[in-house]
Amino acid sequence: MKLILLGPPGAGKGTQAEVLTKKLGVETISTGVMLRAAMREGTELGKLAAQYIEGGKLVPDDVVVGIVKERLSQDDCKNGFILDGFPRTIAQAEALNDAGVEIDKVLSLEVDDSVIVDRLSGRRECKACGTPYHIKNKPVPENGKCVCGGEVIQRDDDNEETIKNRLKVYHEQTEPIKEYYAAQGKVVSVDSEGTVEETTAAVDKALGL
Ligand code: AP5
């Protein structure tokens, strides 16, 4: 399965990817997780990405396309993958197509903007593996660490002002991708406003799992 997860910030892409990666037995490639890892390591990529991520803007297409192409060329992506947070512009979707990557399905997680701020301001995330938690909906294990043992933190871009910018960018630059893939008959849409478990059940049904 070569699957794209599409949806606004806080739609639950990372949360559902965590479940799907186990069910489908394929890796999840999250550009957000990769860029934040580069920021923590202080690499040139990380320094560049920080200038955009901290304001809720998109990192330039050529930069993101480069890291995704490199990652998809690795052996563990040969039998399929889940893309979380990529593509995010029509140019990125076209670059994927030009690279000969055939996508099977695009899973669009639908959530109203009004739900997003609450979800993202309560989010916590593992610094090591990127697993998302939520102070109410998906609490961190009792020892305060991620299931992988990593430190759990709050993301710098999960503040109200940056969340609003990210939503604006999503509607302007990322949402048109839905039309792009709908024209190819690849989009399945799922309501992601219920609980995590309700969304997982709806995803399974939509993907025939
Ligand atoms: P990225 O890391 O991709 O962030 P995002 O798309 O803004 O999405 P989020 O990670 O915020 O949300 P999510 O949908 O994964 O939700 P989650 O499952 O965590 O990108 C960050 C930045 O990197 C971008 O702004 C950009 O600058 C840059 N970037 C990344 N990719 C790029 C690209 N391709 N091109 C250019 N720039 C790029 O859930 C959110 C919270 O809600 C969690 O706490 C979770 O526990 C909770 N939750 C989830 N589902 C439910 C539910 N059903 N009910 C209740 N709570 C729920």
Side-chain angles (χ1 to χ4, degrees):
M1 172 75 93
K2 292 176 181 162
L3 180 70
I4 290 173
L5 293 185
L6 190 65
K13 301 182 295 295
T15 301
Q16 296 304 326
E18 192 193 344
V19 181
L20 282 169
T21 218
K22 290 179 196 141
K23 275 188 195 156
L24 298 171
V26 295
E27 293 290 319
T28 291
I29 317 296
S30 163
T31 41
V33 169
M34 288 195 282
L35 293 168
R36 283 188 292 282
M39 281 163 65
R40 279 195 299 278
E41 286 157 15
T43 63
E44 286 309 311
L45 169 66
K47 285 179 201 156
L48 176 83
Q51 295 169 29
Y52 297 91
I53 291 180
E54 281 160 13
K57 294 188 195 135
L58 294 182
V59 175
D61 289 334
D62 57 335
V63 175
V64 186
V65 166
I67 61 170
V68 171
K69 272 196 195 167
E70 204 275 323
R71 181 66 187 88
L72 291 182
S73 71
Q74 292 172 13
D75 279 352
D76 60 354
C77 293
K78 290 220 161 64
N79 295 327
F81 49 78
I82 299 167
L83 286 174
D84 166 9
F86 182 93
R88 238 177 167 99
T89 61
I90 295 283
Q92 291 180 16
E94 285 172 344
L96 201 58
N97 187 50
D98 294 348
V101 179
E102 271 280 323
I103 295 300
D104 296 312
K105 280 197 173 120
V106 176
L107 180 69
S108 175
L109 298 177
E110 309 286 336
V111 184
D112 193 77
D113 287 4
S114 58
V115 180
I116 301 293
V117 177
D118 177 56
R119 277 201 189 167
L120 290 185
S121 48
R123 172 165 60 187
R124 300 294 180 266
E125 188 175 281
C126 175
K127 207 169 159 182
C129 71
T131 295
Y133 294 92
H134 190 278
I135 50 171
K136 284 185 277 182
N137 309 326
K138 193 189 171 204
V140 178
E142 271 181 20
N143 64 2
K145 300 257 183 209
C146 176
V147 286
C148 80
E151 185 190 349
V152 176
I153 52 149
Q154 182 165 24
R155 271 168 53 174
D156 288 341
D157 61 347
D158 279 348
N159 65 75
E160 199 165 334
E161 194 191 333
T162 312
I163 293 167
K164 283 182 182 153
N165 283 342
R166 287 160 62 198
L167 271 172
K168 185 166 177 282
V169 167
Y170 173 77
H171 291 304
E172 287 174 1
Q173 298 187 52
T174 306
E175 216 166 12
I177 290 180
K178 222 190 292 180
E179 285 298 307
Y180 175 89
Y181 285 112
Q184 301 173 20
K186 291 184 176 167
V187 177
V188 281
S189 297
V190 161
D191 180 348
S192 189
E193 284 195 15
T195 63
V196 172
E197 294 74 22
E198 283 165 352
T199 305
T200 300
V203 167
D204 284 356
K205 197 171 167 204
L207 295 179
L209 298 178

